[in-house]
């Protein structure tokens, strides 16, 4: 009996959602009856890749999504269904542009170097009306709404239900709060291996949206869904360990500014890789047109954007792109809610391994308030101003493209250019408002 068939028998599962994530972060699935899952586990469920966001044509053969039985999750809110992430295969070979395959390749590359990357993410989201046109809670109007206990309790049914499910799944959730924008929330769970975190991140987005819909609401991870309010970030906390996961390879004293914050030489090089590739990184960590209304935002109603616009790092200071809050780990504050869960982890590992390979220097540590004093730093690179600049920066970074895979990178750049062209071909109300009478 196959692993998934046994899982179905033991857990009372009637259907499996065999799911994969496409290049643009779209979650795609087929609903497979448990009676047929053994065949799918061996051969995969068939998809037309062109019908989703992949660089394919209708002439391509079937793309098969082969479920990973070690990552199966029974839906807590619908226990007769289980979700299982899948690896995309075509004609017997992995689809090189498929995000989960990209991540698995880099996890293996890190393992060959004796390294095991562990991450945690902070996925922020808004709860809106079903139409998505306004915040769902009409009383959530405070100027400084972060940690507002009344507001979080008005959405207790939604937040507690999601947290209960994470507890049942063994994710180790440890805090939930109302975030810095009206209508915005964040839920945290324990860090784990990069692939585990990516699968959980993917499932978390599906779960939050599903539970919100159940309560007559709409959840969005859109980077900047409400003008004037703080956007949805997806901060990533990163540490690297030896292969048994017991010794933190980042923790130590590299000397100088790096050692002062508790990073080893290897940790400093990994950080150096993040800094070196930051402008190109943004194409993946901030993948939409809307993303650049978060990282290049003017001051929000609460007084801060909580998002970077310059390539700088610091100690325990939230106004920079990277902060090192304690020995042996750091936080990348660049990614936003639209980031592809698998490509986020992949690009972190790719940039970090590049940094280790070249012994990259992360540059000077700045401990200033970037929001108040950032203008005093003259030589730090600025993050891209828009998606096109980010795509061009990624396309110009041959080393990062090669680390993620030349085939993946070619498809990613091609399709993001197509997305940008579709955007600039769109005529907006703003254009008529500002140029109709010129």
């Amino acid at each position: 009996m196959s692993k998934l068939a046994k899982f179905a028998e033991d857990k009372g599962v009637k259907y499996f959602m065999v799911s994969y994530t496409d290049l643009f972060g779209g979650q795609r699935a087929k609903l497979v009856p448990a009676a047929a899952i053994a065949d799918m586990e061996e051969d995969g469920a068939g998809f037309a890749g062109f019908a989703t966001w992949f660089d394919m044509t209708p002439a391509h053969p079937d793309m098969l999504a082969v479920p990973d039985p070690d990552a199966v999750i029974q839906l807590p809110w619908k226990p007769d269904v289980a979700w299982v992430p899948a690896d995309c295969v075509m004609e017997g070979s992995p689809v090189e542009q498929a995000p989960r395959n990209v991540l698995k390749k880099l996890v293996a590359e890190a393992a060959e170097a004796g390294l095991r990357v562990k991450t945690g993410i902070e996925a922020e989201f808004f709860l809106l009306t079903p139409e998505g046109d306004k915040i769902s809670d009409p009383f959530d109007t405070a100027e400084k709404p972060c940690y507002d206990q009344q507001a979080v309790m008005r959405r207790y049914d939604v937040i507690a239900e999601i947290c209960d499910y994470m507890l049942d799944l063994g994710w180790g959730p440890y805090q939930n709060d109302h975030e810095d924008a009206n209508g915005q929330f964040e839920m945290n769970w324990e860090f784990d291996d990069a692939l585990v975190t990516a699968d959980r991140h993917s499932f978390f987005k599906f779960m939050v949206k599903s539970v919100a819909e159940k309560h007559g609401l709409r959840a969005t991870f859109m980077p900047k869904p409400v003008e004037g309010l703080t956007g949805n970030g997806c901060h990533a906390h990163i540490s690297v360990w030896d292969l048994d996961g017991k010794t933190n390879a980042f923790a130590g004293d590299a000397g100088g500014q790096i050692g002062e914050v508790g990073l080893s030489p290897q940790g400093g090089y990994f950080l150096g890789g993040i800094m070196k590739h930051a402008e190109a990184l943004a194409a993946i960590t901030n993948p939409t047109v809307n993303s650049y209304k978060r990282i290049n935002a003017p001051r929000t109603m609460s007084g801060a954007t909580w998002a970077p616009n310059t390539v700088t790092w610091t100690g325990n200071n939230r106004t920079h792109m990277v902060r090192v809050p304690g020995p042996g780990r750091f936080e990348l504050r660049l990614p936003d809610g639209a980031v592809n869960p698998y490509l986020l982890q992949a690009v972190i590992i790719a940039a970090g391994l590049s940094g280790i390979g070249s012994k990259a220097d992360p540059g000077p540590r700045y401990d200033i308030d970037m929001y108040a004093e950032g203008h005093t730093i003259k030589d730090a690179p600025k993050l891209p101003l828009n998606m096109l600049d980010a795509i061009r920066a990624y396309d110009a970074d041959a080393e990062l493209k090669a680390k993620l895979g030349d085939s993946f990178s070619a498809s990613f750049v091609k399709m993001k250019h197509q997305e940008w062209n579709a955007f600039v071909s769109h005529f907006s109300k703003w254009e008529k408002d500002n140029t109709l009478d010129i």
Side-chain angles (χ1 to χ4, degrees), residues 78-374:
K78 192 178 284 292
D80 57 349
V81 178
W83 177 90
V84 56
D87 297 323
C88 297
V89 174
M90 187 176 287
E91 296 187 318
S93 298
V95 175
E96 293 183 357
Q97 62 183 281
R100 197 171 192 264
N101 290 344
V102 174
L103 174 55
K104 288 179 75 173
K105 179 177 72 74
L106 282 155
V107 167
E109 186 176 334
E112 288 174 8
L115 301 174
R116 183 172 172 180
V117 180
K118 291 177 176 277
T119 59
I121 55 108
E122 302 174 8
E124 297 171 345
F125 60 93
F126 280 76
L127 290 175
L128 306 177
T129 58
E131 297 76 22
D133 58 350
K134 55 187 162 185
I135 293 162
S136 64
D137 180 358
F139 302 106
D140 191 348
T141 58
E143 183 178 345
K144 290 239 181 215
C146 205
Y147 315 123
D148 186 327
Q149 65 180 13
Q150 293 298 126
V152 77
M153 288 306 291
R154 283 196 297 272
R155 287 289 172 258
Y156 172 84
D157 289 350
V158 177
I159 302 302
E161 183 173 343
I162 297 166
C163 190
D164 284 346
Y165 293 155
M166 289 195 286
L167 286 164
D168 292 343
L169 292 170
W171 290 12
Y174 56 89
Q175 60 186 18
N176 314 291
D177 66 80
H178 190 293
E179 264 299 319
D180 191 61
N182 308 106
Q184 186 185 44
F185 300 87
E186 178 181 301
M187 307 181 73
N188 305 124
W189 65 91
E190 290 178 355
F191 73 103
D192 212 314
D193 292 313
L195 181 61
V196 173
T197 294
D199 284 335
R200 289 178 177 177
H201 184 187
S202 184
F203 184 80
F204 178 77
K205 294 179 78 170
F206 168 52
M207 176 165 63
V208 168
K209 291 175 183 177
S210 297
V211 174
E213 288 174 4
K214 176 182 168 184
H215 288 267
L217 306 175
R218 185 172 184 174
T220 181
F221 294 84
M222 182 179 175
K224 190 81 167 177
V226 183
E227 186 178 357
L229 297 184
T230 307
N232 282 324
C234 187
H235 304 154
H237 292 262
I238 306 153
S239 58
V240 175
W241 303 70
D242 62 8
L243 291 181
D244 67 7
K246 295 179 180 177
T247 302
N248 186 330
F250 270 18
D253 184 355
Q257 290 187 314
I258 297 169
E260 287 170 3
V261 293
L263 291 180
S264 67
Q266 201 169 39
Y269 297 146
F270 196 106
L271 174 58
I274 296 289
M275 306 303 289
K276 174 183 176 182
H277 297 289
E279 293 164 89
L281 210 72
I284 288 177
T285 57
N286 307 88
T288 69
V289 169
N290 179 258
S291 293
Y292 297 86
K293 294 183 176 178
R294 169 184 168 265
I295 63 173
N296 290 300
R299 185 173 174 145
T300 66
M301 192 175 81
S302 73
T305 66
W306 304 105
N309 65 6
T310 307
V311 183
T312 56
W313 72 280
T314 186
N316 199 355
N317 176 336
R318 287 181 168 86
T319 64
H320 293 257
M321 189 188 83
V322 177
R323 80 173 172 126
V324 184
R329 64 187 177 95
F330 61 83
E331 177 190 33
L332 179 62
R333 298 179 59 80
L334 178 58
D336 63 42
V339 69
N340 186 309
Y342 298 98
L343 295 183
L344 169 60
Q345 304 300 326
V347 81
I348 287 170
I349 298 172
L353 291 180
S354 165
I356 290 174
S358 63
K359 295 188 176 181
D361 182 353
R365 190 183 83 224
Y366 294 100
D367 295 323
I368 63 173
D369 179 348
M370 282 297 290
Y371 298 151
E373 304 171 77

